[in-house]
Amino acid sequence: MPAFEREMLVRFRHCDAAGWVFYPRYFEMISDLVEDWLEDGLAAGAPGLFHQRRILTPSVHFTVDFLKATHYGEHLTFRLWTVNVRRASCELRIEASRQDELRMRVKQVLVFISARTARAIAIPPELIERMQRFSFDAQAAPPRARKARSRAKE
Amino acid sequence: MPAFEREMLVRFRHCDAAGWVFYPRYFEMISDLVEDWLEDGLAAGAPGLFHQRRILTPSVHFTVDFLKATHYGEHLTFRLWTVNVRRASCELRIEASRQDELRMRVKQVLVFISARTARAIAIPPELIERMQRFSFDAQAAPPRARKARSRAKE
Amino acid sequence: MPAFEREMLVRFRHCDAAGWVFYPRYFEMISDLVEDWLEDGLAAGAPGLFHQRRILTPSVHFTVDFLKATHYGEHLTFRLWTVNVRRASCELRIEASRQDELRMRVKQVLVFISARTARAIAIPPELIERMQRFSFDAQAAPPRARKARSRAKE
Amino acid sequence: MPAFEREMLVRFRHCDAAGWVFYPRYFEMISDLVEDWLEDGLAAGAPGLFHQRRILTPSVHFTVDFLKATHYGEHLTFRLWTVNVRRASCELRIEASRQDELRMRVKQVLVFISARTARAIAIPPELIERMQRFSFDAQAAPPRARKARSRAKE
């Protein structure tokens, strides 16, 4: 199954004094990606969920590996899959690559909550179904993901 | 051994349209905390490392749990411990609490690299020694950390 | 003469606890716009200027009016004109509108400096010529700009 | 009359690929400063205004001069005065200096509005009175402000 895919340009505002993407800005890119996925991948529309249905989708978990630095002016390809869709939460896998080189690998868990009560609510059934179209199939994972070396092992 | 500790006010710029801390802003707080730890906890000075010694400390890994939403105007207590200090990298544990309630728990791995070559370099020995003063002792972990409920389990 | 034009979606990361664009995020949008103008309008490429020619374009002046609040999920049309192109600096006029309603009006002054010396340098002549293609002609200003009411007069 | 004064450290998150403060981050510093002024200077408390009284204080105007670049690790002294206090709006003058060197000069206009109606409301009378304690007296302006050279004149 194909991932939800989006290109992003590394902009001046993303970069730190070393000229590399500063990690809080990577999380801003992730926020944009998930917003676009809700809008274009699920036809849900984060602003619509927020304004009309008063649904929020805060993140409750991240596991993130930054495998290699990314520089100002580079283009990244973001891919997003669903790994586990539960009643009120959803686990995503996200990868950002430059050409064929993996730069960041993310596990993110979102919960659906009511803006009124701040309590978890069931994901609307039509969204659950659409989320499953982006289901991650481990067999289909790009082989480069397994070869990527982490700088964390030094 | 005591953690490195710092109070932070949740400011308007940290909050999203729900009035809660937006997760990229949590990572900005973590960046500030680590900067203060280098400066005040290790007497290393991130600007000094950067300007004089041309050492950078990018993050290569995060595992983060957001246990409960934090609102505009609340005060958070951040605590930082070292869990594992290696030749060129350092694993940190960070917790942010409001009063006795845990709001965020973080594992972060930093690497020390040369700004000139972008390659890992050995952490200066005097810093390794000082880092160990903040070593995390699992026995001493506050019991509330074990009781905190995650919203992710819904 | 036509302005350089770009659509931008107001994203979750732009908005504050009131659900409106937070003003520092407007300046991030301006930064993106000017970057796109250098790249697509002037064929100069801010990353190329930065990486290859070691030219930076810091801002030295802003005059900004926020005429009406902009909400999460709205689309803004940004327009950029040059008002005054000097040897080493350039005055821009920027407007952001939703449909025909002006939301923000900006005067920005950029200077061209050398990243090596941090001193002003002459704008490359081919850029000066291309900048003039976006010259602001007061006659051509959209009439709505004159009707916009500012909330500042209360 | 003395200004409201606050020290700020230029942090890694404020800086761009040149190692200088990126202008949207200056506006984040201004947001923090005004928040501290409401809290500590006016005893109003921006979170309190927001949560209890449902008052917001959006900015409707900025005039800003960046007189000299500021680097990672430098300390800035911010000073804030009121220039004009009207029924529902307030004009501020803000300066940021390093030691005796002026780095940024700002005119900012805030309006007080109701979060419920999004319409301007009268500034609470006790705040008007306290705002006047920070009134800017042109005679008392520091002479260095007149000597500062702008890079905009190139």
Side-chain angles (χ1 to χ4, degrees):
Chain A
M1 182 66 208
F4 178 77
E5 205 169 304
R6 192 97 338 172
E7 297 290 310
M8 290 195 209
L9 172 63
V10 174
R11 291 180 170 282
F12 199 66
R13 68 174 157 85
H14 292 131
C15 294
D16 62 19
W20 301 337
V21 177
F22 181 44
Y23 60 79
R25 309 303 164 222
Y26 259 128
F27 290 93
E28 296 182 16
M29 294 184 200
I30 292 170
S31 173
D32 287 1
L33 177 74
V34 170
E35 211 172 347
D36 285 348
W37 174 62
L38 287 166
E39 181 77 30
D40 300 330
L42 303 187
L49 285 180
F50 178 70
H51 288 304
Q52 286 129 43
R53 304 173 73 160
R54 310 296 295 144
I55 291 175
L56 295 165
T57 56
S59 294
V60 294
H61 178 84
F62 278 107
T63 304
V64 183
D65 290 291
F66 298 107
L67 302 161
K68 201 166 180 303
T70 293
H71 296 81
Y72 174 43
E74 294 183 342
H75 287 83
L76 291 175
T77 303
F78 280 77
R79 291 188 183 86
L80 178 156
W81 298 265
T82 54
V83 170
N84 206 337
V85 179
R86 302 191 198 85
R87 197 185 66 87
S89 73
C90 172
E91 181 186 328
L92 305 177
R93 181 192 174 93
I94 295 169
E95 293 181 359
S97 305
R98 182 177 181 241
Q99 295 160 359
D100 274 344
E101 188 174 68
L102 190 62
R103 296 291 173 87
M104 177 177 62
R105 187 174 43 217
V106 178
K107 170 183 162 179
Q108 179 179 15
V109 181
L110 302 173
V111 286
F112 278 62
I113 66 169
S114 158
R116 284 194 196 81
T117 65
R119 303 181 80 93
I121 54 168
I123 302 175
E126 72 277 17
L127 294 193
I128 288 194
E129 192 194 0
R130 287 178 212 148
M131 282 176 178
Q132 281 155 352
R133 292 182 208 160
F134 298 98
S135 181
F136 183 77
D137 176 351
Q139 306 316 92
R144 61 174 164 62
R146 286 192 287 272
K147 284 188 295 187
R149 278 182 321 112
S150 165
R151 294 181 299 171
K153 299 301 161 42
E154 280 293 328
Chain B
M1 182 65 206
F4 179 76
E5 204 170 305
R6 190 99 339 169
E7 297 290 309
M8 290 195 209
L9 172 62
V10 174
R11 291 180 171 281
F12 199 65
R13 69 174 155 86
H14 293 131
C15 294
D16 63 19
W20 300 338
V21 177
F22 180 44
Y23 60 78
R25 310 302 163 222
Y26 258 128
F27 290 93
E28 296 183 15
M29 293 184 201
I30 291 170
S31 172
D32 287 0
L33 177 73
V34 170
E35 211 172 346
D36 285 348
W37 174 62
L38 287 167
E39 179 78 30
D40 300 330
L42 303 188
L49 285 180
F50 179 71
H51 288 303
Q52 285 127 43
R53 303 173 74 162
R54 309 296 296 145
I55 291 175
L56 295 166
T57 58
S59 294
V60 293
H61 177 84
F62 277 107
T63 304
V64 182
D65 291 291
F66 298 107
L67 302 161
K68 202 166 180 300
T70 293
H71 296 80
Y72 174 42
E74 293 183 344
H75 286 83
L76 291 174
T77 304
F78 279 77
R79 290 187 184 86
L80 178 157
W81 298 265
T82 54
V83 170
N84 207 337
V85 180
R86 300 190 200 86
R87 195 184 69 88
S89 74
C90 169
E91 180 188 328
L92 304 178
R93 181 191 174 95
I94 295 170
E95 293 180 0
S97 306
R98 183 178 179 238
Q99 294 161 358
D100 273 345
E101 188 175 67
L102 190 61
R103 296 289 173 87
M104 179 178 61
R105 188 176 39 219
V106 178
K107 170 182 161 178
Q108 180 179 13
V109 181
L110 303 172
V111 286
F112 277 62
I113 65 169
S114 157
R116 284 194 196 81
T117 64
R119 303 180 81 93
I121 53 168
I123 303 175
E126 72 277 15
L127 294 193
I128 288 196
E129 191 192 3
R130 287 177 213 148
M131 283 177 178
Q132 280 156 350
R133 293 183 207 160
F134 297 98
S135 180
F136 183 76
D137 175 352
Q139 306 315 92
R144 63 179 161 61
R146 287 190 287 271
K147 283 187 296 184
R149 278 182 320 113
S150 164
R151 293 180 301 171
K153 298 302 158 45
E154 279 296 325
Chain C
M1 180 63 206
F4 178 77
E5 204 169 306
R6 190 96 343 168
E7 297 290 309
M8 291 196 210
L9 172 63
V10 174
R11 292 180 170 281
F12 199 67
R13 70 175 156 83
H14 293 130
C15 294
D16 63 18
W20 300 337
V21 178
F22 180 46
Y23 61 78
R25 309 304 164 219
Y26 259 128
F27 290 94
E28 296 183 14
M29 294 184 202
I30 291 170
S31 172
D32 287 0
L33 177 73
V34 170
E35 209 171 348
D36 285 348
W37 174 63
L38 287 167
E39 180 76 32
D40 300 330
L42 303 187
L49 285 180
F50 179 69
H51 289 302
Q52 285 128 42
R53 303 173 73 162
R54 310 296 295 147
I55 292 175
L56 295 165
T57 57
S59 294
V60 294
H61 178 84
F62 278 106
T63 304
V64 182
D65 290 291
F66 299 107
L67 303 160
K68 202 166 179 302
T70 293
H71 296 80
Y72 174 42
E74 293 183 344
H75 287 83
L76 292 174
T77 303
F78 279 78
R79 290 188 184 84
L80 177 156
W81 298 266
T82 54
V83 170
N84 207 336
V85 180
R86 301 190 199 86
R87 197 185 67 87
S89 73
C90 171
E91 180 186 328
L92 305 177
R93 181 192 174 95
I94 295 170
E95 292 180 1
S97 306
R98 180 175 181 243
Q99 294 161 359
D100 273 345
E101 188 174 69
L102 191 61
R103 295 290 172 86
M104 178 177 63
R105 188 173 41 216
V106 178
K107 170 183 162 180
Q108 179 179 13
V109 182
L110 302 173
V111 286
F112 277 61
I113 66 169
S114 156
R116 283 195 197 79
T117 63
R119 303 179 80 94
I121 54 169
I123 301 176
E126 73 277 16
L127 295 194
I128 289 195
E129 191 193 2
R130 289 177 212 148
M131 283 176 178
Q132 280 154 353
R133 294 183 206 160
F134 297 97
S135 180
F136 183 77
D137 175 352
Q139 307 314 94
R144 62 180 164 61
R146 288 191 287 272
K147 285 188 296 188
R149 279 181 320 114
S150 165
R151 294 180 300 170
K153 299 300 159 47
E154 279 293 327
Chain D
M1 182 63 208
F4 179 76
E5 204 170 306
R6 189 100 338 170
E7 298 289 311
M8 289 196 211
L9 171 63
V10 174
R11 291 180 171 280
F12 198 66
R13 69 174 157 86
H14 293 130
C15 294
D16 62 19
W20 301 336
V21 177
F22 180 45
Y23 61 79
R25 311 302 162 221
Y26 258 129
F27 290 93
E28 296 183 16
M29 293 183 199
I30 291 170
S31 173
D32 287 359
L33 177 73
V34 170
E35 210 173 348
D36 284 348
W37 174 62
L38 287 167
E39 180 78 30
D40 300 331
L42 303 187
L49 285 179
F50 179 71
H51 288 303
Q52 286 128 43
R53 304 174 73 162
R54 310 297 295 147
I55 292 175
L56 294 165
T57 57
S59 294
V60 294
H61 177 84
F62 278 105
T63 304
V64 183
D65 290 292
F66 299 107
L67 303 159
K68 202 166 180 299
T70 293
H71 296 79
Y72 174 42
E74 293 183 345
H75 287 83
L76 291 174
T77 303
F78 280 77
R79 291 188 183 83
L80 178 157
W81 298 265
T82 55
V83 169
N84 207 337
V85 180
R86 301 189 199 86
R87 196 186 67 86
S89 73
C90 171
E91 179 187 328
L92 304 178
R93 181 193 174 94
I94 295 171
E95 292 180 2
S97 305
R98 182 175 180 240
Q99 293 162 1
D100 274 346
E101 188 175 67
L102 191 61
R103 296 288 173 89
M104 178 177 63
R105 186 174 43 217
V106 178
K107 170 182 163 179
Q108 179 179 13
V109 181
L110 303 173
V111 286
F112 277 61
I113 66 169
S114 157
R116 283 194 197 80
T117 64
R119 301 180 81 92
I121 55 170
I123 302 175
E126 72 277 16
L127 294 194
I128 289 195
E129 191 193 3
R130 287 178 213 148
M131 282 175 177
Q132 282 155 350
R133 293 183 207 158
F134 297 97
S135 180
F136 183 77
D137 175 352
Q139 307 314 94
R144 64 178 161 62
R146 287 191 288 272
K147 284 187 296 186
R149 278 180 322 113
S150 165
R151 294 180 298 170
K153 299 301 158 44
E154 279 296 326

mmCIF file of all heavy atoms in Angstrom, chain D residues 57-78:
data_model
loop_
_atom_site.group_PDB
_atom_site.id
_atom_site.type_symbol
_atom_site.label_atom_id
_atom_site.label_comp_id
_atom_site.label_asym_id
_atom_site.label_seq_id
_atom_site.Cartn_x
_atom_site.Cartn_y
_atom_site.Cartn_z
ATOM 1 N N THR D 57 -4.860 40.516 23.761
ATOM 2 C CA THR D 57 -4.165 41.765 23.447
ATOM 3 C C THR D 57 -3.364 41.618 22.153
ATOM 4 O O THR D 57 -2.139 41.713 22.161
ATOM 5 C CB THR D 57 -3.215 42.163 24.606
ATOM 6 O OG1 THR D 57 -2.307 41.063 24.822
ATOM 7 C CG2 THR D 57 -3.963 42.440 25.888
ATOM 8 N N PRO D 58 -4.056 41.403 21.016
ATOM 9 C CA PRO D 58 -3.319 41.270 19.756
ATOM 10 C C PRO D 58 -2.615 42.564 19.366
ATOM 11 O O PRO D 58 -3.004 43.662 19.783
ATOM 12 C CB PRO D 58 -4.418 40.930 18.744
ATOM 13 C CG PRO D 58 -5.676 41.418 19.345
ATOM 14 C CD PRO D 58 -5.512 41.286 20.837
ATOM 15 N N SER D 59 -1.578 42.410 18.564
ATOM 16 C CA SER D 59 -0.832 43.557 18.056
ATOM 17 C C SER D 59 -1.408 43.947 16.709
ATOM 18 O O SER D 59 -1.689 43.088 15.876
ATOM 19 C CB SER D 59 0.641 43.181 17.881
ATOM 20 O OG SER D 59 1.194 42.932 19.148
ATOM 21 N N VAL D 60 -1.576 45.256 16.495
ATOM 22 C CA VAL D 60 -2.091 45.721 15.209
ATOM 23 C C VAL D 60 -1.062 46.504 14.407
ATOM 24 O O VAL D 60 -1.276 46.791 13.228
ATOM 25 C CB VAL D 60 -3.373 46.569 15.379
ATOM 26 C CG1 VAL D 60 -4.506 45.687 15.907
ATOM 27 C CG2 VAL D 60 -3.129 47.753 16.292
ATOM 28 N N HIS D 61 0.047 46.848 15.043
ATOM 29 C CA HIS D 61 1.081 47.595 14.318
ATOM 30 C C HIS D 61 2.454 47.335 14.923
ATOM 31 O O HIS D 61 2.595 47.244 16.147
ATOM 32 C CB HIS D 61 0.792 49.103 14.366
ATOM 33 C CG HIS D 61 1.850 49.900 13.695
ATOM 34 N ND1 HIS D 61 1.860 50.115 12.339
ATOM 35 C CD2 HIS D 61 2.983 50.480 14.176
ATOM 36 C CE1 HIS D 61 2.944 50.822 12.019
ATOM 37 N NE2 HIS D 61 3.637 51.038 13.125
ATOM 38 N N PHE D 62 3.444 47.297 14.017
ATOM 39 C CA PHE D 62 4.858 47.292 14.407
ATOM 40 C C PHE D 62 5.643 48.211 13.479
ATOM 41 O O PHE D 62 5.459 48.176 12.247
ATOM 42 C CB PHE D 62 5.483 45.903 14.239
ATOM 43 C CG PHE D 62 5.231 44.957 15.362
ATOM 44 C CD1 PHE D 62 4.316 43.918 15.213
ATOM 45 C CD2 PHE D 62 5.898 45.087 16.568
ATOM 46 C CE1 PHE D 62 4.079 43.031 16.251
ATOM 47 C CE2 PHE D 62 5.669 44.196 17.609
ATOM 48 C CZ PHE D 62 4.753 43.164 17.457
ATOM 49 N N THR D 63 6.522 49.008 14.042
ATOM 50 C CA THR D 63 7.597 49.633 13.273
ATOM 51 C C THR D 63 8.882 49.193 13.958
ATOM 52 O O THR D 63 9.050 49.428 15.163
ATOM 53 C CB THR D 63 7.518 51.170 13.274
ATOM 54 O OG1 THR D 63 6.237 51.572 12.797
ATOM 55 C CG2 THR D 63 8.603 51.778 12.388
ATOM 56 N N VAL D 64 9.755 48.543 13.222
ATOM 57 C CA VAL D 64 10.935 47.927 13.835
ATOM 58 C C VAL D 64 12.183 48.245 13.030
ATOM 59 O O VAL D 64 12.194 48.103 11.804
ATOM 60 C CB VAL D 64 10.771 46.388 13.897
ATOM 61 C CG1 VAL D 64 11.966 45.743 14.592
ATOM 62 C CG2 VAL D 64 9.489 46.005 14.614
ATOM 63 N N ASP D 65 13.226 48.680 13.745
ATOM 64 C CA ASP D 65 14.545 48.822 13.129
ATOM 65 C C ASP D 65 15.520 47.880 13.805
ATOM 66 O O ASP D 65 15.635 47.882 15.042
ATOM 67 C CB ASP D 65 15.050 50.269 13.270
ATOM 68 C CG ASP D 65 14.249 51.214 12.401
ATOM 69 O OD1 ASP D 65 14.350 51.113 11.173
ATOM 70 O OD2 ASP D 65 13.476 52.023 12.964
ATOM 71 N N PHE D 66 16.168 47.073 12.986
ATOM 72 C CA PHE D 66 17.239 46.197 13.472
ATOM 73 C C PHE D 66 18.547 46.911 13.153
ATOM 74 O O PHE D 66 18.925 47.036 11.986
ATOM 75 C CB PHE D 66 17.186 44.844 12.774
ATOM 76 C CG PHE D 66 15.909 44.101 13.018
ATOM 77 C CD1 PHE D 66 14.947 43.981 12.022
ATOM 78 C CD2 PHE D 66 15.659 43.527 14.262
ATOM 79 C CE1 PHE D 66 13.763 43.290 12.253
ATOM 80 C CE2 PHE D 66 14.463 42.839 14.494
ATOM 81 C CZ PHE D 66 13.515 42.726 13.492
ATOM 82 N N LEU D 67 19.232 47.395 14.179
ATOM 83 C CA LEU D 67 20.344 48.310 13.945
ATOM 84 C C LEU D 67 21.669 47.593 13.789
ATOM 85 O O LEU D 67 22.588 48.108 13.150
ATOM 86 C CB LEU D 67 20.405 49.327 15.082
ATOM 87 C CG LEU D 67 19.085 50.104 15.226
ATOM 88 C CD1 LEU D 67 18.957 50.711 16.606
ATOM 89 C CD2 LEU D 67 18.978 51.167 14.146
ATOM 90 N N LYS D 68 21.742 46.393 14.357
ATOM 91 C CA LYS D 68 23.017 45.656 14.304
ATOM 92 C C LYS D 68 22.697 44.200 14.626
ATOM 93 O O LYS D 68 21.812 43.918 15.430
ATOM 94 C CB LYS D 68 23.964 46.234 15.361
ATOM 95 C CG LYS D 68 25.419 45.964 15.096
ATOM 96 C CD LYS D 68 26.302 46.847 15.987
ATOM 97 C CE LYS D 68 27.767 46.551 15.707
ATOM 98 N NZ LYS D 68 28.144 45.158 15.981
ATOM 99 N N ALA D 69 23.394 43.284 14.017
ATOM 100 C CA ALA D 69 23.136 41.857 14.233
ATOM 101 C C ALA D 69 23.499 41.450 15.659
ATOM 102 O O ALA D 69 24.418 41.998 16.265
ATOM 103 C CB ALA D 69 23.941 41.030 13.234
ATOM 104 N N THR D 70 22.761 40.496 16.195
ATOM 105 C CA THR D 70 23.007 39.966 17.533
ATOM 106 C C THR D 70 23.316 38.480 17.402
ATOM 107 O O THR D 70 22.677 37.777 16.633
ATOM 108 C CB THR D 70 21.767 40.227 18.411
ATOM 109 O OG1 THR D 70 21.660 41.643 18.594
ATOM 110 C CG2 THR D 70 21.883 39.566 19.766
ATOM 111 N N HIS D 71 24.309 38.027 18.148
ATOM 112 C CA HIS D 71 24.840 36.670 17.978
ATOM 113 C C HIS D 71 24.381 35.726 19.084
ATOM 114 O O HIS D 71 24.074 36.144 20.196
ATOM 115 C CB HIS D 71 26.374 36.695 17.975
ATOM 116 C CG HIS D 71 26.939 37.455 16.830
ATOM 117 N ND1 HIS D 71 27.008 38.832 16.823
ATOM 118 C CD2 HIS D 71 27.420 37.051 15.625
ATOM 119 C CE1 HIS D 71 27.534 39.228 15.665
ATOM 120 N NE2 HIS D 71 27.780 38.181 14.933
ATOM 121 N N TYR D 72 24.443 34.470 18.741
ATOM 122 C CA TYR D 72 24.170 33.392 19.677
ATOM 123 C C TYR D 72 25.021 33.564 20.943
ATOM 124 O O TYR D 72 26.230 33.750 20.856
ATOM 125 C CB TYR D 72 24.496 32.058 18.996
ATOM 126 C CG TYR D 72 24.397 30.854 19.882
ATOM 127 C CD1 TYR D 72 23.340 30.717 20.776
ATOM 128 C CD2 TYR D 72 25.352 29.850 19.829
ATOM 129 C CE1 TYR D 72 23.246 29.597 21.587
ATOM 130 C CE2 TYR D 72 25.262 28.726 20.626
ATOM 131 C CZ TYR D 72 24.220 28.603 21.521
ATOM 132 O OH TYR D 72 24.137 27.505 22.316
ATOM 133 N N GLY D 73 24.352 33.510 22.103
ATOM 134 C CA GLY D 73 25.056 33.561 23.380
ATOM 135 C C GLY D 73 25.157 34.951 23.987
ATOM 136 O O GLY D 73 25.553 35.084 25.146
ATOM 137 N N GLU D 74 24.808 35.989 23.233
ATOM 138 C CA GLU D 74 24.852 37.345 23.794
ATOM 139 C C GLU D 74 23.639 37.591 24.706
ATOM 140 O O GLU D 74 22.595 36.975 24.549
ATOM 141 C CB GLU D 74 24.875 38.382 22.662
ATOM 142 C CG GLU D 74 26.180 38.326 21.850
ATOM 143 C CD GLU D 74 26.300 39.383 20.752
ATOM 144 O OE1 GLU D 74 25.266 39.997 20.395
ATOM 145 O OE2 GLU D 74 27.414 39.586 20.255
ATOM 146 N N HIS D 75 23.819 38.513 25.639
ATOM 147 C CA HIS D 75 22.707 38.920 26.501
ATOM 148 C C HIS D 75 22.163 40.257 26.027
ATOM 149 O O HIS D 75 22.940 41.182 25.806
ATOM 150 C CB HIS D 75 23.171 39.052 27.953
ATOM 151 C CG HIS D 75 23.413 37.736 28.608
ATOM 152 N ND1 HIS D 75 24.590 37.037 28.472
ATOM 153 C CD2 HIS D 75 22.612 36.960 29.385
ATOM 154 C CE1 HIS D 75 24.516 35.893 29.137
ATOM 155 N NE2 HIS D 75 23.333 35.813 29.701
ATOM 156 N N LEU D 76 20.853 40.332 25.909
ATOM 157 C CA LEU D 76 20.206 41.586 25.515
ATOM 158 C C LEU D 76 19.422 42.150 26.697
ATOM 159 O O LEU D 76 18.806 41.397 27.459
ATOM 160 C CB LEU D 76 19.242 41.348 24.346
ATOM 161 C CG LEU D 76 19.884 40.986 23.015
ATOM 162 C CD1 LEU D 76 18.787 40.640 21.997
ATOM 163 C CD2 LEU D 76 20.746 42.128 22.474
ATOM 164 N N THR D 77 19.438 43.461 26.812
ATOM 165 C CA THR D 77 18.577 44.140 27.777
ATOM 166 C C THR D 77 17.410 44.746 27.014
ATOM 167 O O THR D 77 17.622 45.565 26.117
ATOM 168 C CB THR D 77 19.348 45.259 28.503
ATOM 169 O OG1 THR D 77 20.487 44.670 29.127
ATOM 170 C CG2 THR D 77 18.471 45.942 29.550
ATOM 171 N N PHE D 78 16.218 44.296 27.357
ATOM 172 C CA PHE D 78 15.011 44.850 26.744
ATOM 173 C C PHE D 78 14.432 45.907 27.681
ATOM 174 O O PHE D 78 14.348 45.707 28.887
ATOM 175 C CB PHE D 78 13.967 43.757 26.516
ATOM 176 C CG PHE D 78 14.214 42.936 25.290
ATOM 177 C CD1 PHE D 78 15.187 41.944 25.278
ATOM 178 C CD2 PHE D 78 13.483 43.139 24.129
ATOM 179 C CE1 PHE D 78 15.426 41.179 24.133
ATOM 180 C CE2 PHE D 78 13.706 42.383 22.981
ATOM 181 C CZ PHE D 78 14.688 41.408 22.992
#
